Amino acid sequence: MNERKMMSGAEFKEKLAELLDTLKDDDNVYFGSADSPLTLYRFKDRGPVDGPRSVQIEFNEVYKITAE
């Protein structure tokens, strides 16, 4: 199954705000699972010019999600 995994801007901001409220400058943040973390590359605006835009968060590694 090739399904796109997305969340709304409101949901992302809510989850991020909860984290930022308690995150200290010397805390460690990692992406992915602990056994194979990902390296943050960049944030990319995918448009469109009008209407809700799509923002992509890119990582340097390819991350494959498999169902168990």
Side-chain angles (χ1 to χ4, degrees):
M1 173 167 63
N2 188 4
E3 186 178 322
R4 298 177 88 183
K5 309 286 185 189
M6 294 187 185
M7 65 174 63
S8 70
E11 183 181 4
F12 181 74
K13 289 191 296 186
E14 178 183 342
K15 291 181 181 296
L16 189 58
E18 290 171 6
L19 173 65
L20 293 177
D21 283 344
T22 60
L23 190 65
K24 297 180 188 94
D25 289 345
D26 60 346
D27 288 346
N28 293 313
V29 176
Y30 65 89
F31 301 92
S33 60
D35 59 340
S36 63
L38 303 172
T39 307
L40 182 64
Y41 174 57
R42 67 179 176 177
F43 299 92
K44 182 81 174 173
D45 191 339
R46 295 290 183 188
V49 174
D50 296 324
R53 66 182 181 163
S54 292
V55 177
Q56 180 180 12
I57 301 172
E58 295 182 1
F59 300 95
N60 283 325
E61 298 81 10
V62 174
Y63 192 70
K64 185 174 184 174
I65 299 172
T66 58
E68 292 184 19

Coordinates of all heavy atoms in Angstrom, one line a residue:
M1 N 0.8 -1.2 0.0 CA 0.0 0.0 0.0 C 0.9 1.2 0.0 O 1.8 1.4 0.8 CB -0.9 0.0 1.2 CG -1.7 1.2 1.4 SD -3.0 1.1 2.6 CE -2.1 0.8 4.1
N2 N 0.6 2.2 -0.9 CA 1.4 3.4 -1.0 C 0.5 4.5 -0.6 O -0.2 5.1 -1.5 CB 1.9 3.6 -2.4 CG 2.9 4.8 -2.5 OD1 3.2 5.4 -1.5 ND2 3.3 5.0 -3.7
E3 N 0.4 4.9 0.7 CA -0.5 5.9 1.2 C 0.3 7.1 1.7 O 1.3 6.9 2.4 CB -1.3 5.3 2.3 CG -2.4 6.1 2.9 CD -3.2 5.4 3.9 OE1 -3.4 4.2 3.8 OE2 -3.5 6.1 4.9
R4 N -0.2 8.3 1.4 CA 0.5 9.5 1.9 C 0.1 9.7 3.3 O -1.0 9.7 3.7 CB 0.1 10.7 1.0 CG 0.6 10.5 -0.4 CD 0.1 11.6 -1.3 NE 1.2 12.6 -1.2 CZ 1.1 13.8 -1.8 NH1 0.0 14.2 -2.4 NH2 2.1 14.7 -1.7
K5 N 1.1 10.0 4.2 CA 0.9 10.3 5.6 C 1.0 11.8 5.8 O 2.1 12.3 5.7 CB 1.9 9.5 6.4 CG 2.1 8.1 6.1 CD 0.9 7.3 6.7 CE 1.1 5.8 6.4 NZ 0.0 5.0 6.7
M6 N -0.1 12.4 6.2 CA -0.1 13.8 6.4 C -1.0 14.2 7.6 O -1.8 13.3 8.1 CB -0.7 14.6 5.2 CG 0.1 14.5 3.9 SD -0.6 15.6 2.7 CE 0.5 15.2 1.3
M7 N -0.8 15.4 8.1 CA -1.7 15.9 9.2 C -2.0 17.4 8.8 O -1.3 18.0 8.1 CB -1.1 15.8 10.5 CG 0.2 16.6 10.8 SD 0.8 16.5 12.4 CE 1.3 14.8 12.6
S8 N -3.0 17.9 9.4 CA -3.4 19.3 9.1 C -2.4 20.2 9.8 O -1.7 19.8 10.8 CB -4.8 19.6 9.6 OG -4.8 19.5 11.0
G9 N -2.4 21.4 9.4 CA -1.5 22.4 10.0 C -1.9 22.6 11.5 O -1.0 22.8 12.3
A10 N -3.2 22.6 11.8 CA -3.7 22.8 13.1 C -3.2 21.7 14.0 O -2.7 21.9 15.2 CB -5.2 22.9 13.2
E11 N -3.3 20.4 13.5 CA -2.8 19.3 14.3 C -1.3 19.3 14.6 O -0.8 19.1 15.7 CB -3.2 18.0 13.6 CG -2.8 16.7 14.4 CD -3.2 15.4 13.7 OE1 -3.6 15.5 12.5 OE2 -3.0 14.4 14.3
F12 N -0.6 19.7 13.5 CA 0.9 19.8 13.7 C 1.3 20.9 14.7 O 2.1 20.7 15.5 CB 1.6 20.1 12.3 CG 3.0 20.1 12.3 CD1 3.8 19.0 12.5 CD2 3.7 21.4 12.2 CE1 5.2 19.1 12.5 CE2 5.1 21.4 12.3 CZ 5.8 20.3 12.4
K13 N 0.6 22.0 14.6 CA 0.9 23.1 15.5 C 0.6 22.8 16.9 O 1.3 23.1 17.9 CB 0.2 24.4 15.1 CG 0.8 25.0 13.8 CD 0.2 26.4 13.5 CE -1.2 26.4 13.3 NZ -1.7 27.8 12.8
E14 N -0.5 22.0 17.1 CA -0.9 21.6 18.5 C 0.2 20.7 19.1 O 0.6 20.9 20.2 CB -2.2 20.9 18.4 CG -2.7 20.4 19.8 CD -4.0 19.7 19.7 OE1 -4.8 19.8 18.7 OE2 -4.3 18.9 20.7
K15 N 0.6 19.7 18.3 CA 1.6 18.7 18.8 C 2.9 19.4 19.0 O 3.6 19.1 20.0 CB 1.7 17.6 17.8 CG 0.5 16.7 17.8 CD 0.7 15.5 16.8 CE -0.5 14.6 16.7 NZ -0.8 13.9 18.0
L16 N 3.3 20.3 18.1 CA 4.6 21.0 18.3 C 4.6 22.0 19.4 O 5.5 22.1 20.2 CB 4.9 21.7 17.0 CG 6.3 22.3 16.9 CD1 7.4 21.3 17.1 CD2 6.5 23.1 15.6
A17 N 3.4 22.6 19.6 CA 3.3 23.6 20.8 C 3.5 22.9 22.1 O 4.1 23.4 23.0 CB 2.0 24.3 20.7
E18 N 2.9 21.7 22.2 CA 3.0 20.9 23.4 C 4.4 20.6 23.7 O 4.9 20.7 24.9 CB 2.2 19.6 23.3 CG 0.7 19.8 23.3 CD -0.1 18.6 23.0 OE1 0.5 17.5 22.9 OE2 -1.3 18.6 22.8
L19 N 5.2 20.2 22.7 CA 6.6 19.9 22.9 C 7.4 21.1 23.2 O 8.2 21.1 24.1 CB 7.1 19.2 21.6 CG 8.6 19.0 21.5 CD1 9.1 18.0 22.6 CD2 9.1 18.6 20.2
L20 N 7.2 22.2 22.5 CA 8.0 23.4 22.7 C 7.8 24.1 24.1 O 8.6 24.7 24.6 CB 7.7 24.5 21.6 CG 8.1 24.1 20.2 CD1 7.7 25.1 19.2 CD2 9.6 23.8 20.1
D21 N 6.6 23.8 24.6 CA 6.3 24.4 26.0 C 7.2 23.8 27.0 O 7.5 24.4 28.0 CB 4.8 24.1 26.4 CG 3.9 25.1 25.7 OD1 4.3 26.1 25.2 OD2 2.7 24.8 25.7
T22 N 7.7 22.6 26.8 CA 8.5 21.9 27.8 C 9.9 21.6 27.4 O 10.7 21.1 28.2 CB 7.8 20.5 28.2 OG1 7.7 19.7 27.0 CG2 6.4 20.8 28.8
L23 N 10.2 21.8 26.1 CA 11.6 21.5 25.6 C 12.6 22.5 26.1 O 12.5 23.7 26.0 CB 11.5 21.5 24.1 CG 12.8 21.0 23.3 CD1 12.9 19.5 23.6 CD2 12.6 21.3 21.9
K24 N 13.7 21.9 26.7 CA 14.8 22.8 27.2 C 15.9 22.8 26.1 O 16.0 22.0 25.3 CB 15.3 22.2 28.5 CG 14.3 22.2 29.6 CD 15.0 21.6 30.8 CE 14.0 21.3 31.9 NZ 13.4 20.0 31.9
D25 N 16.7 23.9 26.2 CA 17.7 24.0 25.1 C 18.7 22.9 25.1 O 19.3 22.6 24.0 CB 18.5 25.3 25.4 CG 17.7 26.6 25.1 OD1 16.6 26.4 24.4 OD2 18.1 27.7 25.5
D26 N 19.0 22.2 26.2 CA 19.9 21.1 26.2 C 19.3 19.7 26.0 O 19.9 18.7 26.1 CB 20.8 21.1 27.4 CG 20.0 21.0 28.7 OD1 18.8 21.2 28.7 OD2 20.6 20.8 29.8
D27 N 18.0 19.7 25.8 CA 17.3 18.4 25.5 C 17.7 17.9 24.1 O 18.0 18.7 23.2 CB 15.8 18.6 25.6 CG 15.2 18.8 27.0 OD1 16.0 18.5 27.9 OD2 14.0 19.2 27.1
N28 N 17.6 16.6 23.9 CA 17.9 16.0 22.6 C 16.6 15.7 21.9 O 15.7 15.2 22.5 CB 18.8 14.8 22.7 CG 20.1 15.1 23.3 OD1 20.8 16.0 22.8 ND2 20.6 14.3 24.3
V29 N 16.6 16.0 20.6 CA 15.4 15.7 19.7 C 15.9 14.8 18.6 O 16.9 15.1 18.0 CB 14.8 17.0 19.2 CG1 13.7 16.7 18.2 CG2 14.3 17.9 20.3
Y30 N 15.2 13.7 18.3 CA 15.6 12.9 17.2 C 14.3 12.5 16.4 O 13.2 12.5 17.0 CB 16.4 11.7 17.6 CG 15.8 10.7 18.4 CD1 15.0 9.6 17.9 CD2 15.9 10.7 19.8 CE1 14.5 8.6 18.7 CE2 15.3 9.8 20.6 CZ 14.5 8.7 20.0 OH 13.9 7.8 20.8
F31 N 14.5 12.2 15.2 CA 13.3 11.8 14.3 C 13.5 10.3 13.9 O 14.6 9.8 13.7 CB 13.4 12.7 13.0 CG 13.3 14.1 13.3 CD1 14.4 14.9 13.4 CD2 12.0 14.7 13.4 CE1 14.3 16.2 13.7 CE2 11.9 16.1 13.7 CZ 13.1 16.8 13.8
G32 N 12.4 9.6 13.8 CA 12.4 8.2 13.5 C 12.5 7.4 14.7 O 12.2 7.9 15.8
S33 N 12.8 6.2 14.6 CA 12.9 5.3 15.7 C 14.4 5.4 16.3 O 15.3 5.8 15.6 CB 12.6 3.8 15.4 OG 13.5 3.4 14.4
A34 N 14.5 5.0 17.6 CA 15.8 5.1 18.3 C 16.9 4.3 17.6 O 18.0 4.7 17.6 CB 15.6 4.8 19.7
D35 N 16.5 3.2 17.0 CA 17.5 2.3 16.4 C 18.0 2.8 15.0 O 19.0 2.4 14.5 CB 17.1 0.9 16.3 CG 15.8 0.7 15.5 OD1 15.1 1.7 15.3 OD2 15.5 -0.4 15.1
S36 N 17.2 3.7 14.4 CA 17.7 4.3 13.1 C 17.2 5.7 12.9 O 16.2 5.9 12.2 CB 17.2 3.4 11.9 OG 15.8 3.4 11.9
P37 N 17.7 6.6 13.7 CA 17.2 8.0 13.6 C 17.5 8.7 12.3 O 18.4 8.2 11.5 CB 18.0 8.7 14.7 CG 19.2 7.9 15.0 CD 18.8 6.5 14.6
L38 N 16.7 9.7 12.0 CA 16.8 10.4 10.7 C 17.5 11.8 11.0 O 17.4 12.3 12.0 CB 15.5 10.6 10.1 CG 14.6 9.4 9.9 CD1 13.2 9.8 9.5 CD2 15.3 8.5 8.8
T39 N 18.1 12.3 9.9 CA 18.8 13.6 10.0 C 17.9 14.6 9.3 O 17.6 14.4 8.1 CB 20.2 13.6 9.3 OG1 20.9 12.5 9.8 CG2 20.9 14.9 9.4
L40 N 17.5 15.7 10.0 CA 16.7 16.7 9.4 C 17.4 17.4 8.3 O 18.6 17.9 8.5 CB 16.2 17.7 10.4 CG 15.3 18.8 10.0 CD1 14.0 18.3 9.5 CD2 15.1 19.8 11.1
Y41 N 16.8 17.6 7.1 CA 17.5 18.2 6.0 C 16.9 19.6 5.8 O 17.7 20.6 5.8 CB 17.3 17.4 4.7 CG 17.8 18.0 3.4 CD1 19.1 18.4 3.3 CD2 17.0 18.2 2.3 CE1 19.6 19.0 2.1 CE2 17.5 18.7 1.2 CZ 18.8 19.1 1.1 OH 19.2 19.7 -0.1
R42 N 15.6 19.7 5.5 CA 15.0 21.1 5.3 C 13.5 21.0 5.3 O 12.9 19.9 5.3 CB 15.5 21.6 4.0 CG 14.9 20.8 2.8 CD 15.4 21.4 1.5 NE 14.9 20.6 0.4 CZ 15.1 20.9 -0.9 NH1 15.7 22.0 -1.2 NH2 14.6 20.1 -1.8
F43 N 12.9 22.2 5.4 CA 11.5 22.4 5.2 C 11.3 22.9 3.8 O 11.9 23.9 3.4 CB 11.0 23.3 6.3 CG 11.2 22.9 7.7 CD1 12.3 23.2 8.4 CD2 10.2 22.0 8.3 CE1 12.5 22.8 9.7 CE2 10.4 21.6 9.6 CZ 11.6 22.0 10.3
K44 N 10.3 22.4 3.1 CA 10.1 22.8 1.7 C 8.6 23.2 1.5 O 7.8 22.4 1.8 CB 10.5 21.6 0.8 CG 10.3 21.9 -0.7 CD 11.5 22.7 -1.2 CE 11.4 22.8 -2.7 NZ 12.4 23.7 -3.3
D45 N 8.4 24.4 1.0 CA 7.0 24.8 0.7 C 6.7 24.3 -0.7 O 7.3 24.6 -1.6 CB 7.0 26.4 0.7 CG 5.6 26.9 0.7 OD1 4.7 26.2 0.2 OD2 5.4 28.1 1.1
R46 N 5.6 23.5 -0.7 CA 5.2 22.9 -2.0 C 4.0 23.6 -2.6 O 3.4 23.0 -3.5 CB 4.9 21.4 -1.7 CG 6.1 20.6 -1.4 CD 7.0 20.4 -2.5 NE 8.1 19.6 -2.2 CZ 9.1 19.4 -3.0 NH1 9.2 20.0 -4.2 NH2 10.1 18.7 -2.7
G47 N 3.6 24.7 -2.1 CA 2.5 25.5 -2.7 C 1.1 24.9 -2.4 O 1.0 24.1 -1.4
P48 N 0.1 25.3 -3.0 CA 0.0 26.3 -4.1 C 0.0 27.7 -3.7 O 0.1 28.0 -2.5 CB -1.4 25.9 -4.7 CG -2.2 25.5 -3.6 CD -1.2 24.8 -2.6
V49 N 0.0 28.6 -4.6 CA 0.0 30.1 -4.3 C -1.3 30.5 -3.6 O -1.3 31.2 -2.6 CB 0.2 30.9 -5.6 CG1 0.1 32.4 -5.3 CG2 1.5 30.6 -6.2
D50 N -2.4 30.0 -4.1 CA -3.7 30.2 -3.5 C -4.2 29.0 -2.8 O -4.0 27.9 -3.2 CB -4.8 30.7 -4.5 CG -4.4 32.0 -5.2 OD1 -3.8 32.8 -4.5 OD2 -4.6 32.1 -6.4
G51 N -4.9 29.2 -1.6 CA -5.5 28.0 -0.9 C -4.5 27.4 0.1 O -3.4 27.9 0.3
P52 N -5.0 26.3 0.7 CA -4.1 25.7 1.7 C -2.8 25.2 1.0 O -2.9 24.5 0.0 CB -4.9 24.5 2.2 CG -6.3 24.8 1.8 CD -6.2 25.7 0.6
R53 N -1.7 25.5 1.6 CA -0.4 25.0 1.0 C 0.0 23.7 1.6 O -0.5 23.3 2.7 CB 0.7 26.1 1.2 CG 1.1 26.3 2.6 CD 2.1 27.4 2.8 NE 2.5 27.5 4.2 CZ 3.6 28.1 4.6 NH1 4.4 28.7 3.7 NH2 3.9 28.2 5.9
S54 N 1.0 23.1 1.0 CA 1.6 21.8 1.5 C 3.0 22.1 1.8 O 3.8 22.7 1.1 CB 1.5 20.7 0.4 OG 0.2 20.3 0.2
V55 N 3.4 21.8 3.0 CA 4.8 22.0 3.5 C 5.4 20.6 3.7 O 4.8 19.7 4.4 CB 4.8 22.8 4.8 CG1 6.2 22.9 5.3 CG2 4.2 24.1 4.6
Q56 N 6.5 20.4 3.2 CA 7.2 19.1 3.3 C 8.4 19.2 4.2 O 9.2 20.1 4.1 CB 7.7 18.6 1.9 CG 8.4 17.3 1.9 CD 8.8 16.9 0.5 OE1 8.8 17.7 -0.5 NE2 9.2 15.7 0.3
I57 N 8.5 18.3 5.1 CA 9.7 18.2 6.0 C 10.6 17.1 5.5 O 10.1 15.9 5.4 CB 9.3 17.9 7.5 CG1 8.4 19.1 8.0 CG2 10.6 17.8 8.3 CD1 7.8 18.8 9.3
E58 N 11.8 17.4 5.0 CA 12.6 16.4 4.4 C 13.7 15.9 5.3 O 14.3 16.7 6.1 CB 13.3 17.0 3.1 CG 12.3 17.4 2.0 CD 12.9 17.9 0.8 OE1 14.2 18.0 0.7 OE2 12.2 18.3 -0.2
F59 N 14.1 14.7 5.1 CA 15.2 14.1 5.9 C 16.2 13.6 4.9 O 16.0 13.4 3.7 CB 14.7 12.9 6.7 CG 13.6 13.3 7.7 CD1 12.3 13.2 7.4 CD2 14.0 13.8 8.9 CE1 11.3 13.7 8.3 CE2 13.0 14.3 9.8 CZ 11.7 14.2 9.5
N60 N 17.5 13.4 5.3 CA 18.6 13.0 4.5 C 18.5 11.5 4.1 O 19.0 11.1 3.1 CB 19.9 13.2 5.1 CG 20.3 14.7 5.0 OD1 20.0 15.4 4.0 ND2 20.9 15.2 6.1
E61 N 17.8 10.7 5.0 CA 17.7 9.3 4.8 C 16.4 8.9 4.2 O 15.4 9.6 4.4 CB 18.0 8.5 6.1 CG 19.3 8.7 6.7 CD 19.4 10.0 7.5 OE1 18.4 10.7 7.7 OE2 20.6 10.4 7.8
V62 N 16.3 7.7 3.5 CA 15.1 7.2 3.1 C 14.5 6.4 4.3 O 15.2 5.5 4.9 CB 15.3 6.3 1.9 CG1 13.9 5.6 1.5 CG2 15.8 7.1 0.7
Y63 N 13.3 6.5 4.6 CA 12.7 5.9 5.8 C 11.5 5.1 5.3 O 10.5 5.6 4.8 CB 12.2 6.9 6.8 CG 11.9 6.4 8.1 CD1 12.8 5.9 9.0 CD2 10.5 6.4 8.5 CE1 12.5 5.4 10.2 CE2 10.2 5.9 9.8 CZ 11.1 5.4 10.6 OH 10.8 5.0 11.9
K64 N 11.6 3.8 5.4 CA 10.5 2.9 4.9 C 9.6 2.5 6.1 O 10.1 2.0 7.1 CB 11.1 1.7 4.2 CG 10.0 0.8 3.5 CD 10.6 -0.3 2.7 CE 9.6 -1.1 2.0 NZ 10.1 -2.1 1.1
I65 N 8.3 2.6 5.9 CA 7.4 2.2 6.9 C 6.8 0.9 6.5 O 6.3 0.8 5.4 CB 6.3 3.3 7.1 CG1 6.9 4.6 7.5 CG2 5.2 2.8 8.1 CD1 5.9 5.8 7.6
T66 N 6.8 -0.1 7.4 CA 6.2 -1.4 7.1 C 5.2 -1.7 8.1 O 5.3 -1.4 9.3 CB 7.3 -2.5 7.0 OG1 8.0 -2.5 8.3 CG2 8.3 -2.2 5.9
A67 N 4.2 -2.4 7.7 CA 3.1 -2.9 8.6 C 3.6 -4.2 9.3 O 4.2 -5.0 8.7 CB 1.8 -3.1 7.9
E68 N 3.2 -4.3 10.5 CA 3.6 -5.5 11.3 C 2.4 -6.5 11.3 O 1.3 -6.1 11.3 CB 4.0 -5.2 12.7 CG 5.4 -4.5 12.7 CD 5.9 -4.2 14.1 OE1 5.5 -4.9 15.0 OE2 6.7 -3.3 14.2

